[in-house]
Amino acid sequence: MAQGVRYSRRNSGKFGQALVTFFITSIMCLGLLSMLRNDSQRMDDAISVVQGQLETCEKECRDLEREAAAMMSPRAIHTYAARQLGMTQVHLAGAVRLDGVGRSGGTMSASLTNSGIRLPN
């Protein structure tokens, strides 16, 4: 009978060790899962922030493309040149008159008639 008690104590000791090992392992796994869950939530938050920034940049890009397309029209170019750059439109249409043709000195001058513009030699 003494052997039976000793055998049952040995088995209950092994069972107790296995049970303690199981609980320790379970607690460690739950801790790791909790850490992974926290990391996952932080990554989701970071992804959401980046997606928001991406949407903002895409909207800004579309606005700039729309603005660039509007600035390509001749009227917009003319308005920008006149207002921002101070350029004025000069009408050079007219006939060219050459003064001094056939002079012995070899100097000639040219001007656009009815424009007031004198062209260089």
Side-chain angles (χ1 to χ4, degrees):
M1 178 127 165
Q3 282 184 344
V5 171
R6 195 180 305 149
Y7 180 72
S8 66
R9 283 184 184 166
R10 225 184 296 156
N11 282 343
S12 68
K14 286 183 181 179
F15 179 72
Q17 287 177 347
L19 191 61
V20 168
T21 303
F22 172 75
F23 281 126
I24 290 174
T25 306
S26 297
I27 290 171
M28 288 175 56
C29 287
L30 288 174
L32 288 173
L33 286 174
S34 175
M35 287 173 43
L36 288 174
R37 173 107 172 118
N38 288 338
D39 287 346
S40 174
Q41 286 177 341
R42 274 190 275 133
M43 294 287 185
D44 285 344
D45 292 342
I47 288 171
S48 295
V49 168
V50 169
Q51 284 177 338
Q53 291 173 346
L54 181 63
E55 289 173 3
T56 302
C57 289
E58 286 175 345
K59 182 186 179 302
E60 184 178 341
C61 184
R62 283 191 305 271
D63 292 343
L64 289 173
E65 286 174 347
R66 194 175 308 119
E67 184 180 340
M71 293 180 82
M72 293 298 204
S73 72
R75 171 172 269 144
I77 292 171
H78 180 268
T79 303
Y80 181 81
R83 290 185 183 160
Q84 301 294 327
L85 303 176
M87 298 174 80
T88 58
Q89 188 172 4
V90 176
H91 297 284
L92 295 177
V96 176
R97 184 179 75 210
L98 297 174
D99 296 330
V101 176
R103 286 190 185 165
S104 61
T107 61
M108 276 199 258
S109 65
S111 64
L112 289 175
T113 59
N114 300 327
S115 69
I117 297 175
R118 187 147 182 86
L119 301 175
N121 293 346

